[in-house]
Amino acid sequence: MKKIRVGVVGIGHLGTYHLQKYSKLPQCQIAGAADVIPGKASAAALEYHCLASADYRDLLGALDAVSICVPTAGHYQVARDFLLAGVHVLVEKPFTASLAEADELIAIAQQKGLVLQVGMVERFNPAIMALDRLNMRPFFIEAHRLHPYQERGIEVDVVLDLMIHDLDIILKYVKSPVLSVDAVGVAVLSEKTDITNARIKFAGGCIANVTASRLSLQRMQKIRFFEQGGYHSVDYRNRDLVSLGFAVSAQGKREIVDKRLEISKHDPLEEEIRSFLNSIRDNTEPPVTGRDGRDALALALMVIANMKTQPGG
């Protein structure tokens, strides 16, 4: 089968990783790299033997598929240009800056029969994929995503930078409309909110308490699900899952049972990109659709809109 010609627009932190993962997959060939910063695209071209340009539009006729890793404000325009040119698109999170932009991209992809996947990489975390094997019905969820401060990503609120990962995972398992959001946030080191806590109530009765911070000294990326049948704790960073259930002993006593689900050893980003390429090859819906990306964005924007902000330190 003919190899899929792929490219990456935005050769920064994430774009570099996308190129590395594409280079490992035999079903594709890296055909182009673009970045507005002089030298970044040319360095990638030297390493991967592909076209290089400071203007992504120079790649429109040379690619079958593209990863878009530019800052969020540029997602819509770059994705729109590639979709209109008949190119399959994997766009990093958050999907777009507005719901109207997301809706237009979804419509174009549907009209042209193209794969449009949103880069919610935690969907491909081995611990989350192991959790998928359970028929969970959580009534309470608690998530913490705490990162040290860094300059990358501060052009957006911490909700769109970090929390959106957990919001997407919560929506994946809580298939119920949002009733209310109560949130508080503080801007400390950047002009945007750097730490946020949100309490989200769903129509089905589930409540999620979600915290995101880019002011921590150490990283913590954990989410816990409580349901009537058990408790499940995911450590995203260590790709670990503790899953406890309940059973009744011969004496009629309720006992805690460790379910010990098998967890694979794959790399989440490589698995995400492989799924993108497989969807193109098989002409199937991607695991994280444009609609999924839009839903996560809608909830993130709801958190921001309901946030009670405090002045920075």
Side-chain angles (χ1 to χ4, degrees):
M1 183 176 291
K2 183 180 178 182
K3 289 191 174 186
I4 300 169
R5 300 174 301 165
V6 301
V8 176
V9 179
I11 317 300
H13 178 78
L14 280 173
T16 299
Y17 282 133
H18 277 244
L19 284 168
Q20 291 173 0
K21 305 310 176 186
Y22 278 124
S23 70
K24 295 181 178 181
L25 299 174
Q27 62 265 53
C28 69
Q29 172 190 352
I30 297 175
D35 197 287
V36 295
I37 297 176
K40 283 197 171 185
S42 58
L46 283 174
E47 183 171 359
Y48 298 106
H49 310 289
C50 64
L51 296 174
S53 179
D55 188 339
Y56 70 88
R57 289 169 293 188
D58 293 339
L59 304 181
L60 289 175
L63 305 179
D64 302 310
V66 66
S67 281
I68 297 173
C69 305
V70 301
T72 303
H75 284 185
Y76 163 73
Q77 188 61 58
V78 180
R80 184 178 186 274
D81 287 344
F82 277 103
L83 288 171
L84 288 174
V87 178
H88 303 282
V89 168
L90 169 58
V91 58
E92 269 295 342
K93 63 82 193 169
F95 183 14
T96 53
S98 73
L99 297 181
E101 291 177 348
D103 288 338
E104 184 177 349
L105 295 183
I106 292 168
I108 295 171
Q110 289 177 340
Q111 180 183 9
K112 290 187 166 289
L114 296 168
V115 172
L116 173 59
Q117 182 169 323
V118 180
M120 309 300 298
V121 71
E122 296 292 19
R123 292 277 194 114
F124 303 91
N125 190 299
I128 291 293
M129 295 184 79
L131 195 63
D132 285 345
R133 299 200 293 272
L134 302 176
N135 185 24
M136 266 204 318
R137 294 184 179 178
F139 61 80
F140 180 71
I141 302 171
E142 187 174 41
H144 291 86
R145 188 170 293 266
L146 315 178
H147 286 205
Y149 186 79
Q150 55 188 8
E151 295 296 325
R152 180 176 59 84
I154 61 171
E155 75 277 359
V156 296
D157 194 287
V158 70
V159 178
L160 293 173
D161 180 24
L162 300 179
M163 185 184 282
I164 195 168
H165 282 296
D166 298 302
L167 298 179
D168 174 64
I169 295 298
I170 290 167
L171 289 173
K172 172 180 169 66
Y173 294 114
V174 183
K175 303 182 186 305
S176 177
V178 175
L179 277 184
S180 65
V181 174
D182 187 18
V184 62
V186 181
V188 180
L189 296 180
S190 74
E191 295 181 358
K192 302 287 186 178
T193 305
D194 294 312
I195 181 168
T196 300
N197 174 264
R199 186 174 178 84
I200 306 165
K201 294 182 179 181
F202 293 89
C206 184
I207 294 175
N209 189 24
V210 192
T211 300
S213 170
R214 49 193 182 200
L215 302 175
S216 178
L217 293 178
Q218 295 182 336
R219 289 179 182 266
M220 184 171 80
Q221 301 167 349
K222 293 185 177 181
I223 188 166
R224 302 171 180 88
F225 301 88
F226 300 82
E227 61 173 342
Q228 190 153 4
Y231 160 82
H232 317 285
S233 177
V234 170
D235 185 331
Y236 292 112
R237 191 171 181 220
N238 293 315
R239 302 170 189 174
D240 188 32
L241 169 64
V242 174
S243 182
L244 305 178
F246 304 108
V248 179
S249 70
Q251 292 75 34
K253 293 183 178 180
R254 286 173 62 84
E255 298 177 334
I256 296 175
V257 178
D258 187 347
K259 294 186 176 181
R260 293 196 177 274
L261 296 174
E262 184 178 351
I263 301 174
S264 69
K265 302 293 185 182
H266 67 260
D267 177 89
L269 181 58
E270 184 176 329
E271 188 66 21
E272 174 184 278
I273 289 175
R274 181 182 290 109
S275 76
F276 175 53
L277 297 173
N278 289 344
S279 294
I280 295 169
R281 180 197 63 197
D282 300 334
N283 192 27
T284 56
E285 188 175 79
V288 187
T289 64
R291 175 60 57 179
D292 293 328
R294 186 200 188 278
D295 289 345
L297 175 63
L299 182 52
L301 293 177
M302 194 179 299
V303 170
I304 293 170
N306 287 275
M307 193 185 304
K308 302 174 182 69
T309 58
Q310 302 295 326

